[in-house]
Amino acid sequence: PLITTATDSTMLFDLVATTSRHTFDNLSLSNTHAVRAPGISQSSESTPSVWVYLSILDGHTVAIGGQTGSTRNFPIVHLFDVEIKNCTDGVYGRAPTAFSSVGSWIHDCTGNAFRASLTGTLWMDRTIISDVGADGSVGLTNVSVTNSAIYSAGSDAIEEATGVGARIANSIL
């Protein structure tokens, strides 16, 4: 099913004051207004986890997470066969943050594909990040990339914090 908004600064899903796991499955979420907003976000301080399956997120400021600098972010985000496109940032989180992406495609975003504001872990398998304006991932302290591709990133494919660990195998950067 398609869920869309053409209204100024309207968040599609606002997960308020919860610590639960939220699952989004087989959805197409889009924002067609010139003044965009996050797709899946929260307007209060809480720590829910977000699991997204077989879905498309299109045209949001941040597809999943809070605005840059916000403390209103999800500590855990899992993507399974998800397409994120035409957004400013794909997934934005605040420490501690764990991102995983399996079989997903993040493309044509003007900012970062994955961004952790303080620290974070990224695990990617069979994921493509292409044509993003900034980094494929930034601010992460542990990275594991297998069977994936990151290309046409505006600056770095992977920008890690100092003294971090990375495992990259069978991938193109």
Side-chain angles (χ1 to χ4, degrees):
L2 171 64
I3 300 171
T4 191
T5 182
T7 306
D8 183 352
S9 301
T10 300
M11 191 182 317
L12 287 182
F13 287 95
D14 183 4
L15 309 179
V16 179
T18 178
T19 57
S20 301
R21 171 181 161 176
H22 298 277
T23 302
F24 298 86
D25 194 354
N26 197 29
L27 296 173
S28 180
L29 308 176
S30 70
N31 186 320
T32 59
H33 196 276
V35 181
R36 305 179 299 169
I40 301 170
S41 193
Q42 57 185 333
S43 59
S44 65
E45 298 283 335
S46 58
T47 57
S49 63
V50 175
W51 298 59
V52 185
Y53 299 89
L54 302 165
S55 296
I56 298 171
L57 291 98
D58 183 8
H60 306 283
T61 50
V62 178
I64 301 168
Q67 300 288 22
T68 302
S70 171
T71 58
R72 298 178 180 144
N73 298 287
F74 305 119
I76 299 171
V77 176
H78 298 293
L79 307 178
F80 302 92
D81 297 319
V82 172
E83 180 181 8
I84 295 175
K85 60 183 177 177
N86 305 316
C87 297
T88 303
D89 288 315
V91 180
Y92 186 95
R94 190 169 193 281
T97 303
F99 302 131
S100 69
S101 177
V102 176
S104 298
W105 184 25
I106 301 173
H107 63 97
D108 297 302
C109 296
T110 58
N112 302 289
F114 291 98
R115 180 176 183 90
S117 63
L118 299 175
T119 62
T121 298
L122 171 64
W123 180 81
M124 284 181 15
D125 185 49
R126 295 177 288 111
T127 294
I128 298 172
I129 296 173
S130 65
D131 302 303
V132 293
D135 300 311
S137 66
V138 64
L140 301 166
T141 53
N142 292 292
V143 177
S144 176
V145 178
T146 56
N147 308 310
S148 297
I150 301 174
Y151 62 92
S152 295
S155 52
D156 300 319
I158 297 173
E159 179 184 317
E160 298 177 296
T162 304
V164 298
R167 178 185 181 274
I168 300 171
N170 301 321
S171 296
I172 299 171
L173 302 178

